[in-house]
Amino acid sequence: MKGIVFTGFLDLVEDKFGLEMVDTLLANSELPSNGVYTAVGTYSFAEMVSLLTNLNKETGIAIDDLLLVYGEHFFSVVKKSYPEFLLQFKDPFDMLGSIENHIHVEVIKIYPDAELPTFEIVKQTENELVMIYTSSRAMHSFGKGLMNKTFEHFNQKATILVEKLNDKGTEVKFSITADE
C-alpha cells in the first residue's frame, strides 16, 4: 500500500482526534515501518489494518465508518496534490465511470507498484452508474467516501447504495443514481 494512503490517514487521525491519538496508535500498532511513512514508499497493508483496528478500539467507531470518513478526507488529499487531475472530468459520473480505464492508469504512472482495486462498469448513463468493486482489502467504505466527495466536488447530489456480494466485502456492488 502506498505511503500517501498512510500519511493521509495519520493526518486525518490528528485532525479528528489529536496528536496524542496518533502517538497512541503508533505505539499500540504492529508496524514494521515504525510508523515512518513517505508518500511514495510502499508499506504492508497489515500496517493499515493494525492502525484501523487500534483506532476502532480507542474510539469505538466501526472500521467501515472510519474508512468512509477517511475516504472523504482522502479526496481532499487528491484535490490538493493533483488539482489538475480533477479538471479532466465534466461531472461525477464521468469521473467515477473512468476509474478503471483512466484514473487507475494515471495512478500507476505515478505509483508503479500500487495495488489497486478493480471497478467493473455494469451500467452507465448520464445519471446512473452501477459498478462492481473487487479487492482483497475490502476497503469499499473508503471508496464510498471518495465517491461522496466526488459528487460534492461537482456540486451534485446522488444516492449511493452499497451491496456486499460476499461476506468479506471483497466484492461489492455500487449503485449510484443522481438525486433530482
Side-chain angles (χ1 to χ4, degrees), residues 2-160:
K2 297 313 296 179
I4 191 171
V5 178
F6 287 90
T7 58
F9 179 75
L10 293 176
D11 288 346
L12 170 69
V13 172
E14 183 178 351
D15 289 348
K16 298 287 185 189
F17 303 104
L19 190 55
E20 187 174 310
M21 179 65 79
V22 173
D23 290 342
T24 298
L25 290 181
L26 294 176
N28 294 339
S29 299
E30 299 253 344
L31 306 173
S33 69
N34 295 315
V36 178
Y37 304 107
T38 63
V40 295
T42 302
Y43 307 91
S44 169
F45 177 63
E47 290 197 30
M48 180 58 72
V49 170
S50 185
L51 290 166
L52 282 165
T53 301
N54 281 305
L55 185 58
N56 162 261
K57 285 178 188 172
E58 292 292 327
T59 64
I61 300 170
I63 289 177
D64 275 347
D65 293 339
L66 292 170
L67 283 170
L68 178 77
V69 171
Y70 178 43
E72 291 175 345
H73 171 79
F74 196 74
F75 188 89
S76 66
V77 173
V78 172
K79 191 173 179 178
K80 181 179 176 186
S81 300
Y82 308 102
E84 69 288 345
F85 177 74
L86 299 174
L87 299 173
Q88 302 174 54
F89 305 100
K90 63 180 172 55
D91 63 48
F93 288 99
D94 179 40
M95 184 171 169
L96 294 175
S98 72
I99 292 172
E100 192 65 32
N101 296 322
H102 181 75
I103 295 173
H104 282 176
V105 170
E106 294 302 314
V107 170
I108 292 298
K109 287 179 185 175
I110 299 167
Y111 304 106
D113 55 347
E115 295 175 36
L116 304 170
T118 61
F119 288 87
E120 174 193 350
I121 304 298
V122 176
K123 179 180 181 181
Q124 184 171 8
T125 66
E126 280 187 18
N127 58 6
E128 183 180 12
L129 179 62
V130 178
M131 58 185 166
I132 306 296
Y133 159 97
T134 306
S135 173
S136 62
R137 295 180 174 157
M139 291 181 63
H140 54 86
S141 293
F142 177 81
K144 185 178 181 200
L146 286 167
M147 292 175 200
N148 288 343
K149 288 300 183 178
T150 298
F151 278 89
E152 187 178 299
H153 172 76
F154 287 100
N155 297 312
Q156 293 186 25
K157 295 182 186 241
T159 299
I160 303 172

